[in-house]
């Protein structure tokens, strides 16, 4: 076992929307090679925190640290360049483009004449999808894929940018049980490659299958942390989430 390594941190993050304090002084540490699972009821602030870490919200109070140094992402592209990718609850693909075009959107490979090098892009797209156990003609339009397959395309896009932190916001909310199982296998594989997974969900049952550590948010505050998910009981987690016995 290697020592725990913190790749990404938030320190005292506060985020206000008109009239609403979505996050209130949140400290979070994200460990490499682990499934860092954020739990909390609807409205707890999970997505807002993830959007700050991934550059979607450039305005906030507090600090984000990457490899121990403060970063201030102005947009998601800057976060991606530093190895942080987010897969949103609502997938972010263009249905009438091919798998390859989606994976390389905005960072297309060109040949020396400035023309798009589709051959190279298809090859790389196939390769990265194979790492996820997905064998398919990458000329296929995204609209022809199941939601679970579209999610694989998003993960492939993250991997092809060499993401070291992959944030998944409620990734199982719209996919079949079989796709959930294959997603979990892929998460295990990514952990072995030392990718840090930041996984958001409020489906407690499935979380125990993949979580290495839990971070609990309630009403915009970090209210609990467990460094050993296997030793955490579901009841303890629920109590932390809702703030009382139920
Ligand atoms: P979660 O993902 O845990 O369900 P969110 O981060 O989406 O929670 O929301 C946290 C709180 O911030 C909620 O009260 C929500 O209504 C509010 N909120 C989130 N996004 C916005 C926004 N863009 N404008 C105003 N309020 C927002
Ligand atoms: Mg959310």
């Amino acid at each position: 076992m290697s020592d725990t390594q913190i790749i990404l941190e938030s320190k005292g993050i506060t985020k206000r929307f008109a009239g609403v304090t979505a996050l209130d002084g949140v400290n979070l540490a994200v460990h490499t090679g682990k499934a860092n699972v954020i739990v909390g009821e609807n409205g707890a602030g999970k997505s807002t925190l993830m959007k700050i870490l991934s550059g979607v919200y450039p305005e906030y109070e507090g600090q984000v640290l990457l490899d121990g140094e403060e970063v201030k992402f102005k947009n998601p592209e800057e976060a991606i360049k530093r190895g942080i990718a987010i897969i949103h609850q609502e997938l972010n693909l263009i249905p009438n483009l091919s798998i390859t075009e989606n994976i390389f959107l905005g960072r297309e490979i060109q040949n020396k004449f400035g023309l798009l090098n589709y051959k190279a892009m298809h090859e790389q797209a196939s390769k990265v999808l194979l790492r996820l156990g997905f064998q398919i003609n990458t000329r296929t339009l995204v609209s022809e894929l199941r939601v679970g397959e579209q999610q694989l395309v998003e993960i492939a896009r993250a991997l092809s940018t060499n993401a070291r932190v992959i944030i998944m916001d409620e990734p199982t909310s719209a996919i079949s049980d079989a796709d959930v199982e294959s997603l979990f296998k892929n998460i295990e594989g990514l952990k072995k490659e030392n990718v840090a997974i930041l996984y958001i969900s409020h489906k407690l049952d499935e979380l125990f299958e993949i979580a290495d550590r839990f971070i609990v948010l309630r009403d915009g505050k970090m209210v609990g942390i467990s460094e050993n998910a296997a030793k955490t009981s579901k009841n303890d987690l629920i109590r932390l989430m809702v703030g009382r016995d139920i």
Side-chain angles (χ1 to χ4, degrees):
M1 286 296 282
S2 60
D3 285 340
T4 287
Q5 207 188 329
I6 293 172
I7 177 165
L8 186 65
E9 279 175 279
S10 82
K11 291 211 164 145
I13 295 280
T14 294
K15 174 74 182 172
R16 295 188 182 89
F17 296 106
V20 183
T21 302
L23 295 171
D24 185 1
V26 174
N27 298 328
L28 167 73
V30 180
H31 296 186
T32 57
K34 290 194 175 167
N36 305 260
V37 170
I38 315 276
V39 292
E41 294 195 292
N42 262 329
K46 306 180 297 293
S47 294
T48 302
L49 183 58
M50 298 308 112
K51 286 175 180 170
I52 288 173
L53 295 176
S54 60
V56 177
Y57 293 145
E59 303 289 334
Y60 52 86
E61 295 159 53
Q63 288 183 307
V64 176
L65 285 82
L66 179 62
D67 297 320
E69 279 178 32
E70 186 172 9
V71 286
K72 283 198 155 119
F73 304 129
K74 290 196 201 70
N75 50 51
E77 291 70 35
E78 287 192 4
I80 287 166
K81 280 203 185 102
R82 300 296 304 274
I84 301 167
I86 184 164
I87 297 164
H88 292 281
Q89 204 165 343
E90 315 78 26
L91 296 178
N92 241 326
L93 300 168
I94 302 183
N96 58 347
L97 292 183
S98 72
I99 292 174
T100 294
E101 286 166 325
N102 270 281
I103 289 178
F104 286 95
L105 198 66
R107 37 182 206 96
E108 290 80 2
I109 302 176
Q110 300 183 347
N111 65 21
K112 59 187 169 187
F113 306 111
L115 300 173
L116 295 185
N117 188 346
Y118 274 102
K119 187 166 176 281
M121 288 192 282
H122 281 304
E123 275 171 18
Q124 288 191 25
S126 299
K127 229 188 209 165
V128 72
L129 284 167
L130 269 187
R131 263 166 81 187
L132 301 170
F134 188 22
Q135 199 162 8
I136 187 161
N137 180 346
T138 57
R139 287 162 186 81
T140 309
L141 297 184
V142 158
S143 58
E144 292 170 41
L145 303 177
R146 297 197 309 274
V147 178
E149 294 171 329
Q150 294 183 7
Q151 192 175 58
L152 288 174
V153 173
E154 288 240 24
I155 299 172
R157 178 160 70 186
L159 287 176
S160 72
T161 64
N162 294 316
R164 296 186 297 147
V165 178
I166 300 183
I167 300 171
M168 301 180 184
D169 193 351
E170 307 269 2
T172 58
S173 54
I175 63 177
S176 68
D177 289 350
D179 285 339
V180 171
E181 279 314 309
S182 93
L183 174 70
F184 285 0
K185 266 197 210 120
N186 278 318
I187 289 176
E188 288 304 322
L190 294 170
K191 280 162 53 179
K192 292 202 180 85
E193 298 178 30
N194 220 27
V195 172
I197 305 292
L198 199 43
Y199 187 101
I200 315 301
S201 182
H202 60 259
K203 292 189 186 170
L204 286 183
D205 287 321
E206 63 176 40
L207 290 180
F208 283 91
E209 245 187 87
I210 54 151
D212 294 304
R213 45 200 302 274
F214 285 117
I215 297 100
V216 187
L217 287 183
R218 184 172 76 238
D219 295 334
K221 294 192 178 72
M222 210 273 272
V223 292
I225 193 165
S226 162
E227 295 298 346
N228 189 343
K231 288 196 178 150
T232 310
S233 82
K234 197 168 149 187
N235 278 337
D236 287 344
L237 217 50
I238 293 174
R239 214 170 289 131
L240 280 169
M241 280 170 68
V242 302
R244 62 191 151 80
D245 285 323
I246 48 167

